[in-house]
Amino acid sequence: MVEVETRDARFIKKIKEKFPLHNYCRSTQYLHYLRSRKHPREIELMRTACNITEKAFRRLLKFVKPGVMEYEIEAEISHEFLRNRSRGPAYGSIIASGANACILHYVDNFRECQDGDVLLLDFGAEYANYAADLTRSIPVNGKFTKRQAEVYNAVLHVMKTAKQMLVPGNTLDQYHKFVGKVMENELIKLDLLTEEDVNNQNPEAPLYKKYFPHGTSHFLGLDVHDVGDKYRPFEEGMVFTCEPGIYIREEGLGIRLENDILITHNGPVDLMENIPLELEDIEREMRG
Ligand code: GLY
Ligand code: MN
């Protein structure tokens, strides 16, 4: 087997050759520690990134309709970001209509949005190197079907419940276990799992993962998946996403909702609280 030298390994070798008299030690643990909590000035920049992201989302609520291409939506986002002095998206925008929403990091953005689809939008502005990370799921024709609305409200319930756990002292591990239980309950109500299946499941491989195969939260900051110490209990100044989702391939439906949450001693502060989230608000804004 040929061992490929990583870019990091090449860099370390080069630096050591160039500066042989220096002592070297790893900075990772310090950077992870420092980047876990944000300074108020950093929070301010993240708020600006979130506010620019809000403008783009509000623009999309007026723009999306049957027949638009996913990449045309991507263009609207980039235009709104740049005209608000963001240098662009913090990561590749995910514009996933219909069954594409079940592909977690779909970035082809190549399909035509169809009447009856739900469209999953995962995008965020970068501002002064800080990232926002938003996800919304909206009906292409402006009105959710009964089933789509049921799944939407299940995800919304999980999101609201999860958010309340983003307080000092909890850990990511406890939090993810708790959210898994809440999700399990919702999936039973949606007839996707049965109580019997859940009672007999292997706790090491819970069944909810079939419909919710990713974590609920990650650190956010200089990077969209920022570095941070994931074993350190939550502290004031940490910022996490909160992003549960339900993906039902057999129904061509994927719904995820995501806001960015600042942890404080006075409870979770939602940096995206002004961005429409309730189903009725989304439908109303789309109607104009
Ligand atoms: N916004 C993309 C992600 O969180 O992976
Ligand atoms: Mn995210």
Side-chain angles (χ1 to χ4, degrees), residues 91 94 105 122 133 218 224-225 243 258:
Y91 52 94
I94 298 170
H105 280 110
D122 182 342
D133 187 1
H218 55 79
V224 63
H225 284 219
E243 53 176 312
E258 174 178 30

Side-chain angles (χ1 to χ4, degrees), residues 125-256:
E126 182 181 297
Y127 186 76
N129 293 321
Y130 284 86
D133 187 1
L134 173 78
T135 307
R136 288 291 184 269
S137 300
I138 67 173
V140 166
N141 64 14
K143 179 110 187 86
F144 288 101
T145 65
K146 182 164 172 286
R147 175 64 169 171
Q148 290 166 352
E150 275 171 5
V151 179
Y152 189 98
N153 281 325
V155 176
L156 184 57
H157 172 74
V158 178
M159 186 200 202
K160 287 178 178 172
T161 312
K163 196 168 117 175
Q164 296 314 314
M165 289 281 287
L166 291 170
V167 290
N170 286 342
T171 63
L172 261 181
D173 192 43
Q174 286 170 336
Y175 167 80
H176 277 127
K177 287 199 178 108
F178 169 81
V179 179
K181 287 280 156 212
V182 181
M183 179 58 90
E184 211 163 69
N185 231 353
E186 293 304 308
L187 293 174
I188 292 171
K189 286 197 256 168
L190 291 169
D191 286 327
L192 292 167
L193 298 179
T194 67
E195 239 168 287
E196 197 188 345
D197 291 341
V198 168
N199 290 336
N200 294 325
Q201 73 188 351
N202 171 3
E204 300 301 315
L207 294 172
Y208 75 78
K209 294 205 177 214
K210 174 174 176 199
Y211 297 102
F212 176 37
H214 58 79
T216 311
S217 292
H218 55 79
F219 281 104
L220 181 73
L222 282 171
D223 214 338
V224 63
H225 284 219
D226 208 9
V227 296
D229 179 355
K230 60 185 184 182
Y231 301 105
R232 182 166 155 195
F234 298 155
E235 285 173 39
E236 176 155 277
M238 290 181 176
V239 179
F240 288 98
T241 64
C242 182
E243 53 176 312
I246 295 177
Y247 312 89
I248 316 171
R249 279 173 196 274
E250 48 286 15
E251 297 180 29
L253 175 64
I255 292 183
R256 176 166 69 251

